Amino acid sequence: MSLTITVKVGQVWIDNDSRFGHDRSLRIDKVRGDYAYCTVLGTGRHVEILLRRFKPTSTGYRLQEE
C-alpha cells in the first residue's frame, strides 16, 4: 500500500531534519511543477522545496495542519 500525500497551499509542515533546527515550520504559499514555495514561519524566509521531500522521514517533513 502506498501513502499519497498531497501538498496544498495554506498547509503548515514541520521539518524533521534537525540540521535546520527543531520544529522549523513552513507554510505552503504556492505549488508549481515539482516544487513547493514556502515561507519559514518565525523568520519569514522564502524557500523552495522539492515535493518528493514532503514525506515523514528523518530528512523529510510532516504535516502539522491543513
Side-chain angles (χ1 to χ4, degrees), residues 10-62:
Q11 290 176 327
V12 176
W13 290 75
I14 304 293
D15 192 342
N16 288 335
D17 193 336
S18 61
R19 294 176 295 179
F20 294 105
H22 296 289
D23 296 327
R24 180 174 85 146
S25 300
L26 308 165
R27 183 186 65 238
I28 308 298
D29 297 324
K30 177 172 56 173
V31 177
R32 180 175 290 161
D34 293 332
Y35 288 90
Y37 297 86
C38 312
T39 300
V40 178
L41 301 178
T43 67
R45 183 172 177 239
H46 297 281
V47 296
E48 62 182 61
I49 301 167
L50 281 167
L51 290 173
R52 68 176 180 244
R53 294 206 45 228
F54 287 89
K55 55 189 174 191
T57 62
S58 64
T59 58
Y61 298 86
R62 66 187 184 276

